[in-house]
């Protein structure tokens, strides 16, 4: 599903003032001059001043490719719906890439200016020797946004219940799958031998496959998890976000050259995101749900509110967008644990915090 959001806002009106300049009268003529001016003013009606037309400030077009269109990313959609990007003179085109690999391809090819995905992709491309590599400049989520869905209610679920079962997982090397395997290992389970993880299904299609009786469990983003519950075809039994702890799950990135050539645009983009983040930090799930509802016309407000509340209560969103070094190193720990990282990448090369720090002031 591809979504496009383009909006234009006229901003920054300027005022024009008119001032009259006169030579200083010579001594002895002041009274006469003042009298003459008074008489002229009294006899001559004042002409109305023309109101200047507001100036049209040119907006900067930015194409943002997102890994998925999910309520998980509520602060970004608040920024879209509240016009924060337009306030920062950005006309945003939002495209759904359906997977981090596709988002990265779009950014590297120049099809997208900015990518929104798991930062593991930036590490992979850097280690592959890319010259104009992708740099992360803002982190949005600090917990995983997936939920484990079972075919029946399991109020006493433990991760050991997955032994001998088949789970519909994510793409190999992607954050959803790696976080899932990280949790399994933390619970003394071997992802390769204790259960079967089906990774053959495309991103975004697992819920439909599960509803057709494929697999015993599935790992789902929202609104997929709640949709399965409402259809009576599945039940959320665990939150990967809660059980994995704080993880730098998704971040915004762009090619090094783009950031160097357009620092003001990146700053404006991050400023808009921070305004969205400030909103979710200071408003209730019900208020957040009403704002972002137009982004999800296929879902009713009650469902959106339920999902927002889940993410809200597990502390999903950072108060600021700063991608800290400790988070980056934890990410690489997870990659190593999954066997996806042969060489660690330098934080200083792949992360810049200056834009997020400025936006948070």
């Amino acid at each position: 599903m591809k979504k496009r959001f383009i909006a234009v806002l006229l901003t920054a009106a300027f005022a024009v003032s008119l001032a009259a300049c006169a030579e200083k009268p010579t001594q002895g003529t002041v009274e006469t001059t003042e009298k003459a001016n008074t008489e002229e003013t009294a006899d001559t009606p004042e002409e109305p001043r023309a109101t200047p037309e507001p100036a049209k400030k040119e907006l900067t077009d930015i194409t943002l490719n997102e890994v998925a269109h999910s309520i998980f990313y509520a602060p970004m959609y608040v920024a879209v719906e509240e016009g924060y990007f337009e306030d920062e003179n950005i006309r945003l085109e939002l495209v759904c890439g359906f997977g981090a690999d596709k988002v990265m391809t779009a950014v590297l090819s120049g099809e997208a200016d900015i990518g929104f995905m798991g930062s593991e992709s930036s590490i992979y491309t850097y280690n592959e020797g890319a010259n104009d590599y992708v740099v992360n400049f803002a982190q949005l989520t600090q917990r995983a946004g997936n939920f484990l869905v079972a075919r029946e209610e399991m109020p006493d679920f433990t991760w050991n219940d997955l032994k001998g079962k088949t789970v519909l997982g994510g793409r190999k090397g992607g954050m959803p799958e790696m976080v899932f395997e990280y949790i399994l290992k933390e619970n003394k389970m071997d992802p390769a031998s204790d259960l079967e993880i089906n990774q053959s299904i495309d991103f975004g299609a697992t819920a439909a496959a599960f509803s057709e009786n494929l697999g015993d469990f599935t790992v789902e983003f929202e609104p997929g998890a709640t949709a399965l519950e409402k259809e009576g075809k599945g039940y959320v039994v665990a939150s990967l976000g809660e059980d994995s702890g704080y993880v730098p799950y998704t971040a915004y990135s762009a090619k090094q050259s783009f950031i160097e050539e357009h620092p003001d645009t990146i700053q404006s983009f991050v400023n808009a995101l921070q305004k969205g983040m400030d909103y979710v930090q200071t408003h209730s799930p019900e208020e957040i749900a009403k704002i972002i509802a137009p982004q999800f016309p296929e879902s009713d407000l009650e469902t959106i509110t339920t999902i927002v509340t889940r993410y809200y209560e597990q502390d999903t969103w950072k108060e600021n967008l700063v991608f800290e070094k400790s988070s980056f190193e934890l990410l690489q720990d997870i990659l190593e644990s999954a066997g996806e990282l042969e060489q660690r990448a330098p934080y200083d090369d792949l992360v810049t915090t200056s834009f997020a720090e400025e936006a948070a002031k």
Side-chain angles (χ1 to χ4, degrees):
M1 177 175 58
K2 181 177 293 184
K3 303 270 184 180
R4 296 176 181 269
F5 305 91
I6 305 177
V8 179
L9 182 66
L10 300 180
T11 59
F14 66 91
V16 178
S17 61
L18 301 176
C21 241
E23 291 184 1
K24 183 178 179 180
T26 58
Q27 188 175 2
T29 64
V30 174
E31 183 178 351
T32 303
T33 303
E34 288 179 349
K35 181 178 179 180
N37 286 341
T38 301
E39 292 174 351
E40 181 179 351
T41 301
D43 296 337
T44 305
E46 183 178 353
E47 295 184 3
R49 293 184 178 181
T51 302
E53 291 290 332
K56 293 183 179 181
K57 190 163 185 177
E58 185 176 354
L59 300 183
T60 300
D61 291 314
I62 289 293
T63 300
L64 170 64
N65 197 304
E66 59 178 355
V67 65
H69 196 72
S70 172
I71 296 168
F72 184 41
Y73 312 131
M76 174 169 63
Y77 304 131
V78 167
V80 170
E81 292 298 325
E82 290 294 274
Y84 296 151
F85 287 105
E86 289 87 349
D87 291 346
E88 293 290 336
N89 301 313
I90 289 176
R91 181 164 44 218
L92 187 70
E93 180 182 11
L94 188 61
V95 179
C96 188
F98 296 104
D101 53 340
K102 297 179 179 64
V103 174
M104 179 58 75
T105 298
V107 173
L108 290 176
S109 68
E111 182 181 343
D113 301 307
I114 297 173
F116 178 56
M117 59 191 142
S119 298
E120 75 283 354
S121 295
S122 66
I123 296 174
Y124 296 154
T125 55
Y126 180 89
N127 283 344
E128 288 170 0
N131 292 323
D132 193 5
Y133 53 84
V134 169
V135 176
N136 302 283
F137 58 82
Q139 178 188 337
L140 186 74
T141 55
Q142 61 183 2
R143 286 192 186 274
N146 321 68
F147 298 90
L148 184 70
V149 180
R151 294 203 175 276
E152 57 186 27
E153 293 183 277
M154 302 177 67
D156 299 320
F157 170 83
T158 68
W159 290 97
N160 285 326
D161 291 330
L162 296 183
K163 284 187 176 181
K165 304 298 184 180
T166 299
V167 180
L168 306 187
R171 175 181 59 85
K172 179 176 171 58
M175 278 300 288
E177 177 62 22
M178 290 189 295
V179 170
F180 176 48
E181 293 184 10
Y182 177 77
I183 293 172
L184 293 175
K185 292 175 182 177
E186 289 293 300
N187 285 272
K188 312 302 182 185
M189 292 185 64
D190 186 341
S193 61
D194 286 335
L195 69 162
E196 179 184 352
I197 304 176
N198 186 336
Q199 298 177 277
S200 66
I201 303 172
D202 288 340
F203 183 87
T206 52
F210 188 75
S211 66
E212 295 298 324
N213 295 318
L214 185 63
D216 302 305
F217 296 83
T218 183
V219 177
E220 293 295 330
F221 273 111
E222 294 287 16
T226 297
L228 286 171
E229 282 193 324
K230 293 193 72 173
E231 294 168 5
K233 295 184 177 180
Y235 301 88
V236 173
V237 296
S239 164
L240 275 70
E242 291 181 351
D243 289 352
S244 63
Y246 290 108
V247 174
Y249 205 78
T250 44
Y252 297 88
S253 57
K255 287 194 292 188
Q256 187 180 25
S257 60
F258 186 88
I259 295 174
E260 291 174 352
E261 294 167 9
H262 307 282
D264 292 342
T265 299
I266 294 294
Q267 186 63 68
S268 295
F269 181 88
V270 178
N271 290 346
L273 288 174
Q274 183 62 59
K275 292 176 184 178
M277 188 67 77
D278 291 342
Y279 185 98
V280 301
Q281 297 292 335
T282 56
H283 291 76
S284 68
E286 291 77 13
E287 291 170 316
I288 297 168
K290 288 180 181 178
I291 292 295
I292 68 172
Q295 291 283 321
F296 304 94
E298 70 284 355
S299 300
D300 57 64
L301 184 59
E302 180 183 357
T303 298
I304 296 172
T305 303
T306 297
I307 297 169
V308 170
T309 300
R310 277 180 173 165
Y311 287 136
Y312 188 94
E313 291 179 347
Q314 71 176 29
D315 195 24
T316 293
W317 305 300
K318 285 173 58 67
E319 292 184 1
N320 59 54
L321 300 160
V322 178
F323 196 153
E324 298 167 355
K325 187 173 183 178
S326 58
S327 295
F328 187 76
E329 296 306 332
L330 173 58
L331 171 61
Q332 298 201 88
D333 289 344
I334 294 173
L335 297 181
E336 285 183 334
S337 175
E340 296 292 338
L341 188 62
E342 295 182 359
Q343 180 180 348
R344 295 177 80 94
Y347 170 80
D348 291 339
D349 284 356
L350 289 182
V351 178
T352 178
T353 61
S354 60
F355 300 105
E357 289 169 347
E358 178 64 26
K361 290 182 179 178

